[in-house]
Amino acid sequence: MQIYMVGGAVRDRLLGRPVNDHDWVVVGARPEDMVARGFVPVGRDFPVFLHPETHEEYALARTERKSGRGYRGFVVQASPDVTLEEDLSRRDLTINAIAASADWIGADGLFDPYGGARDLERRVLRHVTDAFREDPVRILRVARFAARFTDFTVAPETMALMREMVQAGEADHLVAERVWQELSRGLMEEKPSRMFDVLRACGALAVVLPEVERLWGVPQRAEHHPEVDTGVHLMMVLDMAARLSAPLAVRFACLTHDLGKGTTPADVLPRHIGHEQRSGKLLKAVAERLRVPVDCRELADVVAREHGNIHRSGELGATALVRLLERCDAIRKPARLDDILLACECDARGRLGFEDAPYPQRARLNAALAAVQSVATSVIAARAASMGVTGQKVGEIIHAARVQAVADWLATLAD
């Protein structure tokens, strides 16, 4: 039995990046050998075990054989006869197909049959073998790694292979959960726009997210969007979200906030009247198809519908401000308003020449919310009850009090 460190831990250590998790492959062992040494089996389609003390994963060396379309069409074989080189040959990229001995020190102890260390030096994302074409999820993974390693390029032969896979219909068989898993990880990388650049270049974006793909080539009014192209704007918004360290829900909201612009009739371009409502409808379809988590889809829905009103909130009076806060559910969920406003700031600053512009709407709406929260609703409700006023009428009285509180706050700004 021989144990090797593999994959991301070796790659990141060679790059000088932090290593948080370790994956191990065991060559020359059977499942019963692992159990005898105290390893705990994990319920999966292939033999994986947890170390009894570190709880890190140890997988038996294995091979895979294609048996159908898509991600799930594989037959996995794990046996003591599978060599380390055979195990590494099934991995996606050469930079992830480097193994190291358990006592790896410096350059000694590396096993690199596919030139992964060389590709690390050359900053290249290259597939290991032609077996890459058997798993369409690898297309998404390459795109995600491009977003993480911003100075790496995709090898021409790998890009050509991914195009062939898309044309052969492999991307049509991607499982929704895996698409969301890779998409969400890519959104959280250093430069999310690179993920979409790669997916567009190989044709996969039109398959997995046609609502996003169609945004390129759609013009916007140059006085508001000097970059003009809606797809270019979207990529700037995503990269701004990364720059501002936005959480996943905010980044997904940024991705979907302008989907409606892709359906604007050609005869009204470059104006996009009512695109917010169209964006909301398209977002719901995307979220349902990809089984997006509830927190992400709910935040994205508000941002899609209200980002235009939030951008214009400096022009709104007390009544309109309170109604906007109510539509954002900010009174009931004040913490979520911060994420809504962050997404809107990313949208505003994700424009050519506006990258470092201030976004005063955030402070203004937070101050308006503070004025609303200063209203003692319980006192108002109790007073109304003592006068025999109940039901909807109480809500109207509270709403009026909130509007008055915001009006009083706005008056202090004018003084």
Side-chain angles (χ1 to χ4, degrees), residues 108-143:
D108 297 328
L110 281 182
F111 184 72
D112 184 19
Y114 300 104
R118 180 184 64 245
D119 283 340
L120 282 176
E121 293 177 359
R122 296 177 179 178
R123 297 301 195 256
V124 174
L125 301 173
R126 189 192 317 276
H127 66 284
V128 177
T129 68
D130 198 56
F132 181 99
R133 69 170 66 248
E134 297 179 350
D135 185 359
V137 173
R138 290 170 176 169
I139 297 173
L140 302 177
R141 283 176 56 82
V142 171

Side-chain angles (χ1 to χ4, degrees), residues 213-259:
E213 166 69 27
R214 68 168 64 107
L215 295 178
W216 274 269
V218 176
Q220 301 172 105
R221 294 171 63 182
E223 64 267 33
H224 299 304
H225 288 275
E227 70 284 352
V228 179
D229 191 288
T230 304
V232 173
H233 163 63
L234 177 60
M235 295 300 99
M236 296 180 70
V237 174
L238 288 179
D239 288 344
M240 180 58 64
R243 174 180 166 183
L244 299 180
S245 301
L248 175 60
V250 170
R251 299 192 193 199
F252 180 68
C254 289
L255 175 66
T256 57
H257 79 286
D258 267 350
L259 293 181

Side-chain angles (χ1 to χ4, degrees), residues 81-100:
D81 299 327
V82 177
T83 67
L84 179 59
E85 184 170 347
E86 288 174 328
D87 180 273
L88 295 176
S89 71
R90 66 175 179 78
R91 297 177 183 269
D92 51 8
L93 298 172
T94 60
I95 64 172
N96 297 327
I98 310 171

Side-chain angles (χ1 to χ4, degrees), residues 159-173:
M159 181 61 73
L161 178 56
M162 293 194 300
R163 289 196 188 102
E164 290 176 13
M165 293 169 65
V166 173
Q167 293 168 2
E170 279 291 333
D172 299 331
H173 298 275

